[in-house]
């Protein structure tokens, strides 16, 4: 009897798991069940080059249809898994079909947080899927003004695209700086001034409280009593792990589906990978829930290796990137405060890194157009190399000297 491997979710992690299983000659049957109507695809470009019209849809796909057909991978698109019967090892689909599994991979990703305040909420644009990005792209190309709620990566990447299209842009942010959840204050202030130079107006320390559609503009009411008028209102206010199926079926969940270093859940036949997981990380000595391509790909590799009998526990330095204007921001590690911080390079030349240390160890490297620092910093974090602040106080430091 052949193994029946079912993957719930045809996103980045689910798609990569199927591709790796094929490449590593998995002998069982592979089925991907995804509720979107697209083949597994990469999302980063949706808020960057695809939103700008510089990338074609076909290049977003992890593999084209021929790959799955040729390798016997079944893909059920536009199909949702509605429950998992762990005792009898099958999943139930929204068309009431049952699918038996011997191994199951949950790659259900995350759900967008949506605006809950009163008013014409359905006129707010979000950005998660190809359809969302195409709609927003058309709006940006045809309209004159946009209000963006939230100044995280997605909000700022939308702002950068809108600025290139010469729209009037207002960004409303509850905190007092951009990217406050994940970046240091130095990086925040650098990006704030970059956006301001491009004409973006920030409204910090304010919440949007209500939205009302007018004839042309939408009226967005703010907590200080003022109103922002804009033809487009978009929101990027974060995501939550999609744990519905896991929780309903009794798998252990806490801020994500709890998995071990092999991506195994509390059921030995069920793996979880990507945005939906909460997993241990020995480098930081804590559990992490990450929303990144690196994590999706590496957890897919980890689960596949375990399934194929050569477990390689997942323990890596998390990393992420963002493109805004001509700036590439690359972040290695987790910025969670620090006891020392050093800027390596030149802010004026827009080529620098912020190095954050805690207890004489590098915990995060945020590099602006300085990929070498990012690569070497990642290695230093991984090796948990002891570094003194004195060692870092060298002009134009080559991080290689610390390895
Ligand atoms: P997803 O790619 O979200 O896939 C999950 C899939 O499962 C979805 O298609 C979902 O609809 C489906 N699904 C859920 N439940 C069910 C069900 N019950 N039945 C069937 N299907 C189901 N990361 C970076 O590292 N760098 C970036 O620059 C970056 N930019 C981004 C820009 C945007 C606009 C977005 C949205 C994300 C970005 N990310 C970026 C994050 C990155 O794309 C995600 O971390 C990655 O896609 C996670 O992969 P995943 O497979 O876990 O989840």
């Amino acid at each position: 009897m052949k193994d029946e491997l079912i993957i719930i979710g045809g996103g980045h992690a689910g798609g990569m798991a199927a591709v790796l299983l094929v490449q590593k000659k998995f002998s069982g049957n592979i089925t991907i069940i995804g509720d979107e109507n697209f083949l597994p695809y990469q999302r980063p470009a949706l808020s960057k080059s695809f939103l700008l019209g510089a990338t074609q849809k076909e290049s977003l796909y992890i593999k084209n249809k021929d790959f799955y057909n040729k390798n016997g991978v079944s893909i059920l698109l536009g199909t949702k898994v509605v429950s998992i019967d762990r005792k009898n090892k099958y999943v139930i689909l929204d068309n009431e079909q049952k699918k038996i599994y011997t191994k199951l991979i949950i790659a259900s990703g995350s759900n967008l947080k949506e605006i809950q305040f009163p008013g014409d909420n359905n006129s707010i644009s979000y950005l998660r899927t190809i359809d969302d990005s195409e709609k927003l792209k058309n709006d940006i190309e045809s309209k004159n003004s946009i209000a963006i709620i939230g100044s995280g990566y997605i909000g700022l990447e939308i702002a950068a695209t809108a600025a290139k299209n010469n729209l009037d842009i207002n960004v409303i942010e509850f905190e007092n700086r951009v990217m406050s959840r994940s970046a240091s204050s130095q990086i925040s202030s650098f990006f704030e001034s970059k956006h301001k130079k491009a004409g973006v107006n920030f409204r910090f320390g304010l919440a949007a409280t209500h939205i009302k559609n007018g004839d042309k503009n939408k009226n967005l009411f703010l907590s200080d009593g003022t109103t922002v008028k804009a033809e487009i209102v978009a929101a990027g206010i974060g995501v939550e792990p999609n744990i519905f199926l896991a929780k309903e079926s009794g798998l252990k969940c806490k801020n994500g589906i709890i998995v071990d270093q092999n991506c195994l859940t509390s059921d030995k036949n069920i793996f979880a990978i990507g945005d939906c997981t909460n997993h241990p990380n020995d480098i930081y000595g804590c559990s992490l829930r990450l929303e990144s391509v690196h994590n999706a790909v590496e957890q897919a590799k980890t689960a596949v290796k375990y399934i194929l009998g050569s477990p390689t526990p997942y323990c890596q330095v998390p990393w992420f990137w963002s493109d805004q204007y001509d700036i590439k921001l690359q972040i290695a590690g987790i910025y969670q405060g620090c006891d020392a911080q050093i800027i390596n390079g030149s802010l004026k030349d827009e080529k620098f890194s912020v190095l954050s240390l805690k207890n004489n160890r590098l915990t995060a490297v945020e590099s602006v157009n300085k990929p070498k620092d990012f690569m070497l910093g990642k290695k230093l974090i991984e090796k948990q190399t002891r570094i003194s602040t004195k060692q870092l106080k060298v002009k134009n430091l080559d991080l290689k000297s610390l390895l």
Side-chain angles (χ1 to χ4, degrees):
M1 279 273 281
K2 275 191 162 189
D3 261 332
E4 290 295 335
L5 191 141
I6 290 183
I7 301 171
I8 303 176
H12 209 129
M16 277 308 297
V19 169
L20 291 164
L21 284 161
V22 167
Q23 288 171 347
K24 303 274 175 208
K25 312 250 179 293
F26 175 66
S27 57
N29 296 320
I30 306 166
T31 305
I32 302 178
I33 304 168
D35 59 3
E36 291 189 64
N37 289 315
F38 299 102
L39 292 172
Y41 63 93
Q42 317 179 42
R43 296 181 200 274
L46 301 183
S47 52
K48 306 176 183 71
S49 55
F50 187 72
L51 189 61
L52 201 58
T55 294
Q56 297 302 308
K57 196 189 289 178
E58 289 63 37
S59 69
L60 303 178
Y61 297 130
I62 289 169
K63 290 285 177 190
N64 62 25
K65 206 161 182 224
D66 285 353
F67 174 89
Y68 300 103
N69 288 343
K70 206 174 84 197
N71 293 294
V73 177
S74 310
I75 306 200
L76 308 181
L77 295 179
T79 308
K80 196 179 180 100
V81 174
V82 292
S83 66
I84 302 170
D85 184 328
R86 285 170 51 205
K87 191 161 160 264
N88 298 302
K89 298 213 301 195
Y90 61 75
V91 296
I92 302 179
L93 313 184
D94 54 0
N95 58 16
E96 294 178 6
Q97 260 187 35
K98 280 182 190 172
K99 289 259 170 207
I100 300 278
Y101 66 83
T102 45
K103 296 268 180 250
L104 183 66
I105 299 181
I106 304 176
S108 50
S110 41
N111 292 327
L112 286 172
K113 285 187 189 160
E114 291 193 9
I115 298 285
Q116 299 296 344
F117 56 65
D120 299 316
N121 279 340
N122 53 9
S123 67
I124 299 175
S125 300
Y126 295 92
L127 188 44
R128 191 181 80 87
T129 64
I130 288 181
D131 290 336
D132 295 339
S133 185
E134 278 179 333
K135 181 182 174 297
L136 191 56
K137 175 177 166 296
N138 290 337
D139 282 350
I140 287 175
E141 280 169 1
S142 60
K143 299 193 191 294
N144 297 309
S145 54
I146 184 167
I148 301 166
I149 305 170
S151 71
Y153 297 112
I154 306 278
L156 292 185
E157 288 175 357
I158 296 173
T161 305
K164 284 188 180 163
N165 283 270
N166 297 316
L167 271 70
D168 281 339
I169 306 159
N170 275 290
V171 175
I172 295 97
E173 170 56 59
F174 190 67
E175 302 295 337
N176 59 7
R177 64 181 177 96
V178 303
M179 299 188 283
S180 63
R181 200 166 59 94
S182 51
S184 63
S185 53
Q186 286 89 339
I187 290 292
S188 295
S189 61
F190 172 81
F191 277 93
E192 184 185 327
S193 75
K194 192 80 194 163
H195 279 276
K196 281 181 173 165
K197 274 185 207 146
V200 177
N201 182 37
F202 287 98
R203 308 288 309 272
F204 287 115
L206 294 175
T209 56
H210 183 185
I211 183 166
K212 199 166 183 344
N213 291 344
D215 286 344
K216 184 176 176 209
N217 284 313
K218 302 174 203 317
N219 300 298
L220 190 62
F221 298 88
L222 307 186
S223 49
D224 64 349
T226 58
T227 309
V228 170
K229 288 183 188 300
E231 287 180 82
I232 313 166
V233 174
I237 55 168
V239 296
E240 285 166 337
N242 185 348
I243 59 170
F244 175 77
L245 291 172
K247 210 168 166 192
E248 286 283 295
S249 64
L251 293 174
K252 276 192 192 154
C253 295
K254 192 179 177 190
N255 185 28
I257 305 169
I258 305 273
V259 293
D260 68 11
Q261 284 183 314
N262 290 305
C263 297
L264 258 177
T265 65
S266 48
D267 179 324
K268 67 179 178 8
N269 296 305
I270 306 183
F271 298 80
I273 57 177
D275 280 13
C276 63
T277 71
N278 190 333
H279 59 273
N281 182 297
D282 279 353
I283 298 169
Y284 287 90
C286 63
S287 348
L288 296 175
R289 184 175 68 75
L290 300 169
E291 298 146 20
S292 75
V293 164
H294 167 248
N295 181 58
V297 172
E298 292 303 321
Q299 286 200 310
K301 283 186 194 164
T302 304
V304 165
K305 281 185 183 160
Y306 190 90
I307 290 166
L308 296 177
S310 51
T312 312
Y314 174 50
C315 178
Q316 295 190 21
V317 177
W319 62 267
F320 190 85
W321 79 95
S322 175
D323 298 331
Q324 296 165 43
Y325 309 102
D326 50 349
I327 303 293
K328 182 167 267 313
L329 170 68
Q330 293 168 296
I331 302 183
I334 305 278
Y335 179 76
Q336 292 171 325
C338 58
D339 47 36
Q341 216 160 39
I342 268 129
I343 293 185
N344 189 38
S346 159
L347 270 120
K348 192 170 127 285
D349 298 340
E350 300 188 333
K351 218 173 171 207
F352 67 95
S353 300
V354 178
L355 311 175
S356 297
L357 289 128
K358 213 172 193 176
N359 301 326
N360 290 99
R361 289 201 168 89
L362 204 55
T363 53
V365 177
E366 301 159 288
S367 295
V368 167
N369 292 338
K370 217 164 182 281
K372 198 172 160 202
D373 274 9
F374 163 74
M375 292 305 294
L376 293 166
K378 187 142 63 77
K379 279 195 188 145
L380 287 165
I381 298 172
E382 190 183 333
K383 287 175 182 271
Q384 304 195 37
T385 311
R386 286 190 76 81
I387 304 169
S388 68
T389 40
K390 205 172 143 211
Q391 282 175 289
L392 295 178
K393 281 184 182 154
V394 174
K395 214 172 170 213
N396 290 325
L397 171 73
D398 184 351
L399 292 187
K400 209 171 177 181
S401 63
L402 304 175
L403 272 172

